[in-house]
Amino acid sequence: MSIAMIVFLVLSIVLLSMGIYGGTVQIPDAAAVEAGAKMPGAFAQSVAQLRNFYLMLGALVLFIVVYRFLFKRANLKVQHLMSTTIRYVILIGVGVFMVYPLLWMVSATFKDNNEIFSTLSLIPSRPTLDGYRAAMNDYGGDINIWRAMLNTYKYVLPRVLFTVISSTITAYGFGRFRFRGRNALFALLMATLFLPQVVLNIPQFLMYRKFGWVDSPYYLALIVPSLFAQETYFVYMLIQFMRNIPRELDEAAKIDGCNIMQTLVLVLVPMLWPAMVSAGLFQFMWSSNDFMGPLLYVNSPARYPATLFVRMSMDADTGFSWNRVMAVSLISILPSLVVFFLAQSQFMDGVTAGAVKG
């Protein structure tokens, strides 16, 4: 056994001892202290408060030491099996850790307030559907969850479509053509990527109010800007993908009689399709979860989207039921989850690809 392994073995024993020792330390409460009970030392208090952490950390270090010790003494076949097993265990553990909040939200829709705040268990002890029944209630007769969902996708779907089209055309202009002022305009475009949205809220609101777009029944303040490639990130992403497509394809299309737009639609768009799907998915999720935009530009309760409806469900009365809030939130995010899983293969291609497939 190497010196490093001995050091880590000792460290694991120390951590486990601190965890076990911490369980025996008693911290007097305030009443006991006033009665004259002696407080333990600072180190003992910290050990008592973090004993579970020390136990887990010590067990982890001990596991790593034992694993490395056994791994070095195993043959190649056993080493491969051990490494594969530990890899999948880590991936499953990380996956469970990442998806646990979503699972907890689903289970919380079937719990009452007391159980929600008293346990982290995913299985309700007293299942109830009161959260879903309350989620279906309207507020003042003007809005309910289904109308709020319909209002959401009245502007989300056009916004996604216009964003993808305008970003693709803008990326085509910057990525394939040379014109006077191109570098300066591209630098200005990239500069807007670092401009916080909060800086733009006031001038945009004043401008849209002059245009009469605030509280428009067609959500003009939320849809029209997407016609002008306002999402700089998508333009930049599509430009990077376009740079990986050989210009010889454009020249071949020109020889075949294609004009500029035909080259874009018939040659470049099929190769940019994974990146365009990624841009559409990102915009779909961002627009569906947008709270500030509808809050500024939608004033009529009958036109509220799901994000504002979720907030209304929390303000509806004092001492609101959290299972109702969780149920409304779950219903509002279900379309985003469905769309993501249906398009996940294209999304992964758009995130990881970029080379031309021959």
Side-chain angles (χ1 to χ4, degrees), residues 59-339:
L60 178 61
V61 175
L62 181 61
F63 172 78
I64 294 174
V65 171
V66 174
Y67 175 81
R68 293 297 301 172
F69 178 79
L70 296 176
F71 186 83
K72 287 184 176 181
R73 283 156 180 76
N75 56 42
L76 291 178
K77 185 177 180 179
V78 175
Q79 287 182 352
H80 176 72
L81 179 62
M82 292 175 64
S83 61
T84 302
T85 302
I86 196 66
R87 189 182 302 117
Y88 277 102
V89 168
I90 293 174
L91 289 175
I92 292 173
V94 172
V96 170
F97 179 78
M98 296 298 293
V99 79
Y100 178 82
L102 179 61
L103 297 177
W104 183 87
M105 184 182 73
V106 174
S107 68
T109 61
F110 300 101
K111 301 177 182 178
D112 55 24
N113 279 3
N114 293 332
E115 190 174 0
I116 288 175
F117 290 102
S118 62
T119 177
L120 291 175
S121 174
L122 297 179
I123 302 176
S125 60
R126 299 179 300 276
T128 177
L129 293 176
D130 292 343
Y132 289 98
R133 296 190 187 100
M136 304 304 168
N137 294 337
D138 56 1
Y139 297 93
D142 290 330
I143 191 69
N144 55 46
I145 182 60
W146 305 118
R147 184 163 185 175
M149 295 287 288
L150 179 62
N151 292 339
T152 299
Y153 298 107
K154 279 182 180 178
Y155 69 85
V156 167
L157 296 180
R159 193 171 180 179
V160 171
L161 178 63
F162 295 151
T163 296
V164 173
I165 294 175
S166 61
S167 299
T168 303
I169 294 175
T170 305
Y172 182 47
F174 280 110
R176 278 298 195 257
F177 299 99
R178 298 289 183 268
F179 50 89
R180 188 183 300 274
R182 174 183 175 276
N183 293 335
L185 290 175
F186 184 72
L188 181 62
L189 180 70
M190 288 299 100
T192 62
L193 185 63
F194 305 99
L195 191 64
Q197 180 60 36
V198 66
V199 177
L200 305 175
N201 284 339
I202 294 177
Q204 283 181 344
F205 179 80
L206 296 176
M207 182 174 65
Y208 296 160
R209 187 175 62 179
K210 275 192 174 183
F211 293 163
W213 292 355
V214 176
D215 203 29
S216 166
Y218 305 107
Y219 303 96
L220 295 179
L222 299 173
I223 295 175
V224 173
S226 62
L227 289 168
F228 302 97
Q230 67 166 356
E231 296 292 348
T232 310
Y233 172 75
F234 300 141
V235 177
Y236 177 74
M237 181 178 69
L238 290 169
I239 289 174
Q240 301 311 309
F241 274 83
M242 198 170 295
R243 286 176 177 173
N244 292 321
I245 301 176
R247 292 180 178 270
E248 287 78 6
L249 296 178
D250 299 31
E251 297 171 359
K254 186 176 181 180
I255 293 173
D256 290 338
C258 292
N259 58 31
I260 292 176
M261 292 308 298
Q262 287 175 331
T263 301
L264 172 62
V265 174
L266 301 177
V267 178
L268 297 180
V269 166
M271 296 185 177
L272 288 174
W273 185 248
M276 295 170 64
V277 171
S278 299
L281 282 176
F282 276 120
Q283 182 67 299
F284 184 87
M285 291 185 288
W286 293 349
S287 299
S288 300
N289 296 327
D290 184 21
F291 178 77
M292 186 57 67
L295 182 66
L296 289 174
Y297 305 125
V298 181
N299 298 330
S300 300
R303 301 191 185 107
Y304 279 174
T307 51
L308 296 185
F309 184 82
V310 172
R311 187 68 182 89
M312 286 178 60
S313 69
M314 298 176 66
D315 286 342
D317 49 46
T318 57
F320 52 84
S321 300
W322 279 101
N323 55 9
R324 179 184 64 193
V325 177
M326 296 297 176
V328 172
S329 302
L330 178 62
I331 294 172
S332 65
I333 68 172
L334 277 178
S336 297
L337 294 176
V338 172
V339 169

